[in-house]
Amino acid sequence: MRKVVILGATGSIGRQCLEVLKDQNGFSVVGLAADSRWEELLDAVVRHRPRFVAMVNPEASRCLAQALSERGCSGIQVLQGQEGVSKLAALEEADIVVHAIPGFEGLRSLLAAVQAGKTVAFAGKESLVSAGDLIARTMEVTGARLIPVDSEHSAIFQCLAGEDRGDVSGIILTASGGPFWDKSLEEMGTVGPAEALRHPTWRMGPKITVDSATFFNKALEVIEAHYLFGVDYDRVSVLVHREAIVHSMVVFKDGSVKALMSYPDMRLPISYALNYPARGQALTSQLDLAGRTLSFSQPDLLRFPCLELGYRAGRMGGTAPCFISAADEEAVRLFLSGVIPFTAIYPVLDLALSGYAPVSPSSIETLEREARRGKLKVREIVESGAWRA
Ligand SMILES: NC(=O)c1ccc[n+]([C@@H]2O[C@H](COP(=O)([O-])OP(=O)(O)OC[C@H]3O[C@@H](n4cnc5c(N)ncnc54)[C@H](OP(=O)(O)O)[C@@H]3O)[C@@H](O)[C@H]2O)c1
């Protein structure tokens, strides 16, 4: 029996993970963590009966503990705060930790899991982007492993199985194009949060959905690929593929290209990460390619310039990925709360990164400081209106 902890259990990935586990044998859920939506977590706890739960918000964790006791659910330990989530990340009895916490907030728990030498089914890309070097160094010492859940990185991971890394000449990340692929820059100037949150292909949390609309999600994925697969930025490229059937590709030195295909369904990469190195049971119908046309095109950097920020921050190195990722979190928050228009996100981030001098990402405290600086810089630029120039 493989024992699973899910961090971010009430979110899009967390819920799909629980759905996958419901249909597969050989797993038991031993820990569930979330931020503050205790009623959603309660449902999952009642269904899966983990031994441990954790909520960041103390009031939410009190409500959850009370509700569990009223329902007679005994023997479940309720932890609270960021420390509680990190304790679950490092839980001794866990065989797999699913990390699905968005944003910089997920870093402490990812680091806790990696320090404890865990196998991590890993979705929280902002944490790896922010602290790629620190996490890689820690993994070398503890033997922890990251099995990607992001569909593109799972595809690359699967294409690399059995291959010599020295034979890889490049990685091609595919992008479905998001909700605004057909819109002109002028039209994008008037889109509001509701439209940005309506992704045509994937049902995801709000942060990643807006990032998909700006293409900043692909910028994060470029850096994620660099850290996960050890390829330099010149060898990571992006192709728009509207049908979302090819989830990414690996190019080999002999000119061969391997691609991973399936219908777009996040339960597949989740199941792969949970079952690795085996494969789980069928979750979707088998892909039927007859009569289908698959199309690929270059991303339009004039309309989606955020993609460039990933390459730029990645090549700057040091704390630049951490800074720009946190800056984006703040820009997305300001967009979703109606403070800035959609088309302000790129100029704000561009200005922030242009004036930034990265430092060595030596410790988590340094990264926390630089992430705070990234968010602060965005607020300064927005308040001054400098991005309009
Ligand atoms: N959704 C997808 O299809 C998809 C695909 C690829 C990669 N990803 C990546 O996976 C991560 C999660 O995305 P999502 O779409 O699942 O997000 P989401 O729907 O917004 O869910 C976020 C989850 O994290 C919890 N959470 C937030 N802060 C936390 C903290 N400090 N400690 C513990 N739990 C915390 C939330 O709890 P509350 O509910 O209590 O707020 C919720 O359970 C992101 O990094 C995203 O980029 C997602």
Side-chain angles (χ1 to χ4, degrees):
M1 196 59 89
R2 281 184 168 187
K3 295 181 176 142
V4 185
V5 162
I6 305 175
L7 311 177
T10 50
S12 156
I13 293 287
R15 279 182 278 115
Q16 291 182 84
C17 187
L18 288 168
E19 208 183 306
V20 168
L21 289 173
K22 190 171 58 94
D23 296 332
Q24 313 233 358
N25 300 321
F27 291 94
S28 76
V29 176
V30 290
L32 293 174
D35 180 20
S36 55
R37 291 189 297 164
W38 67 270
E39 280 155 311
E40 280 83 348
L41 194 61
L42 176 65
D43 282 346
V45 174
V46 169
R47 256 180 293 125
H48 295 273
R49 299 290 174 133
R51 286 193 45 218
F52 299 90
V53 289
M55 301 218 73
V56 180
N57 183 304
E59 184 53 30
S61 87
R62 269 193 292 278
C63 291
L64 179 66
Q66 164 125 23
L68 285 172
S69 118
E70 282 164 6
R71 285 174 181 234
C73 298
S74 55
I76 300 173
Q77 198 176 329
V78 182
L79 309 173
Q80 65 169 249
Q82 195 51 62
E83 309 74 50
V85 178
S86 290
K87 259 191 201 156
L88 278 200
L91 197 67
E92 200 177 341
E93 64 194 82
D95 300 306
I96 306 171
V97 176
V98 178
H99 185 280
I101 302 173
F104 189 83
E105 278 294 297
L107 179 54
R108 287 239 172 219
S109 49
L110 178 61
L111 210 50
V114 168
Q115 278 163 348
K118 296 292 175 195
T119 294
V120 183
F122 163 75
K125 60 187 86 176
E126 296 90 344
S127 298
L128 181 66
V129 163
S130 301
D133 293 321
L134 186 60
I135 286 165
R137 283 201 302 274
T138 313
M139 281 168 65
E140 266 172 36
V141 176
T142 64
R145 284 192 310 179
L146 298 185
I147 316 291
V149 162
D150 220 347
S151 58
E152 294 80 356
H153 301 77
S154 172
I156 296 161
F157 188 81
Q158 295 183 51
C159 290
L160 286 173
E163 300 287 353
D164 185 333
R165 295 284 169 106
D167 290 340
V168 174
S169 62
I171 278 174
I172 303 171
L173 296 169
T174 50
S176 65
F180 303 145
W181 184 247
D182 298 328
K183 287 204 187 299
S184 66
L185 258 182
E186 203 174 39
E187 287 169 329
M188 278 191 258
T190 60
V191 297
E195 288 156 285
L197 290 174
R198 218 175 293 128
H199 195 284
T201 314
W202 304 100
R203 295 283 154 265
M204 310 181 283
K207 157 77 168 49
I208 182 175
T209 307
V210 175
D211 282 345
S212 297
T214 60
F215 257 68
F216 191 83
N217 183 47
K218 221 38 73 175
L220 290 173
E221 288 180 7
V222 166
I223 304 174
E224 188 183 0
H226 166 78
Y227 284 123
L228 280 174
F229 307 114
V231 287
D232 49 56
Y233 291 101
D234 295 338
R235 296 193 297 146
V236 183
S237 57
V238 174
L239 275 182
V240 176
H241 169 52
R242 297 289 286 154
E243 298 81 12
I245 294 291
V246 172
H247 298 299
S248 277
M249 298 175 246
V250 177
V251 186
F252 295 94
K253 69 179 185 191
D254 63 358
S256 309
V257 177
K258 261 196 196 177
L260 186 97
M261 292 190 270
S262 71
Y263 292 122
D265 185 333
M266 279 310 294
R267 292 174 309 161
L268 273 170
I270 291 171
S271 170
Y272 184 80
L274 291 170
N275 284 286
Y276 179 80
R279 285 193 183 265
Q281 290 139 25
L283 295 164
T284 62
S285 51
Q286 198 181 314
L287 177 62
D288 181 4
L289 285 171
R292 266 182 186 269
T293 304
L294 301 184
S295 63
F296 300 91
S297 59
Q298 290 294 336
D300 179 349
L301 287 177
L302 283 177
R303 286 184 303 133
F304 300 100
C306 279
L307 174 58
E308 171 269 332
L309 294 167
Y311 287 98
R312 203 185 340 153
R315 288 182 176 121
M316 284 166 74
T319 48
C322 172
F323 177 87
I324 197 65
S325 174
D328 171 68
E329 261 186 67
E330 186 63 7
V332 169
R333 191 186 69 78
L334 293 174
F335 164 65
L336 287 177
S337 46
V339 177
I340 58 170
F342 182 77
T343 43
I345 295 176
Y346 174 72
V348 166
L349 295 180
D350 176 45
L351 258 185
L353 192 61
S354 300
Y356 182 63
V359 297
S360 166
S362 48
S363 66
I364 188 151
E365 289 75 22
T366 306
L367 293 164
E368 282 173 342
R369 188 192 63 217
E370 297 307 300
R372 275 197 303 277
R373 282 182 68 190
K375 292 185 181 190
L376 185 66
K377 191 71 198 168
V378 162
R379 289 197 290 276
E380 275 172 26
I381 293 169
V382 168
E383 276 158 27
S384 70
W387 64 272
R388 293 177 198 276

